[in-house]
Amino acid sequence: MNKAEKEIEEKSIEVLKTIFDPEIPVNIYDLGLIYFVKVKGKMVNVEMTLTSPNCPVAETLPLEVENKIRFLEEVDDCKVEIVFDPPWDQEMMTEEAKYELGLL
């Protein structure tokens, strides 16, 4: 990964930290819903999951991720793939998220 791609990756993660799961007051990155952010050139690919397959924002949350990352000046396009393997669980959350939710 070159310097420009690394910068795009970091900015994309910053954006992800501004997007919140509507049912849990923690951003989707700290919740552990983001499995990876890969940058190639000016293209960003995000693999993420949801807290459950029946999540009420299953259709809108990936679009929000795509649109907000696409808004970055350095990005030409963003694709989000939703996966459920491995399934999400509380162990995927950052220490900060667990603390915010009173799990520590």
Side-chain angles (χ1 to χ4, degrees), residues 21-24 28 31-35 48-62 82-90 92-93:
D21 182 297
E23 297 176 324
I24 305 170
I28 62 173
L31 267 179
L33 298 180
I34 305 300
Y35 289 162
M48 65 178 287
T49 193
L50 303 168
T51 53
S52 77
N54 299 322
C55 183
V57 293
E59 291 186 26
T60 58
L61 193 60
I82 299 291
V83 298
F84 292 101
D85 187 28
W88 179 86
D89 67 38
Q90 291 182 0
M92 295 174 163
M93 292 190 292

Side-chain angles (χ1 to χ4, degrees), residues 1-98:
M1 179 180 302
N2 65 38
K3 184 178 176 184
E5 290 172 337
K6 185 67 177 163
E7 185 176 305
I8 291 171
E9 178 186 56
E10 290 169 1
K11 286 184 176 187
S12 296
I13 290 170
E14 287 176 30
V15 166
L16 293 169
K17 289 183 176 186
T18 70
I19 301 171
F20 288 77
D21 182 297
E23 297 176 324
I24 305 170
V26 175
N27 71 70
I28 62 173
Y29 191 83
D30 288 338
L31 267 179
L33 298 180
I34 305 300
Y35 289 162
F36 69 72
V37 175
K38 290 186 180 174
V39 180
K40 182 159 182 155
K42 293 184 169 204
M43 174 68 184
V44 178
N45 289 293
V46 177
E47 185 174 283
M48 65 178 287
T49 193
L50 303 168
T51 53
S52 77
N54 299 322
C55 183
V57 293
E59 291 186 26
T60 58
L61 193 60
L63 288 175
E64 182 178 359
V65 169
E66 283 182 3
N67 289 333
K68 286 190 173 182
I69 290 177
R70 275 190 193 122
F71 190 72
L72 292 170
E73 185 177 319
E74 302 86 354
V75 173
D76 285 343
D77 201 7
C78 177
K79 298 285 184 219
V80 174
E81 181 180 359
I82 299 291
V83 298
F84 292 101
D85 187 28
W88 179 86
D89 67 38
Q90 291 182 0
E91 292 305 309
M92 295 174 163
M93 292 190 292
T94 63
E95 295 293 315
E96 285 178 343
K98 290 177 185 176

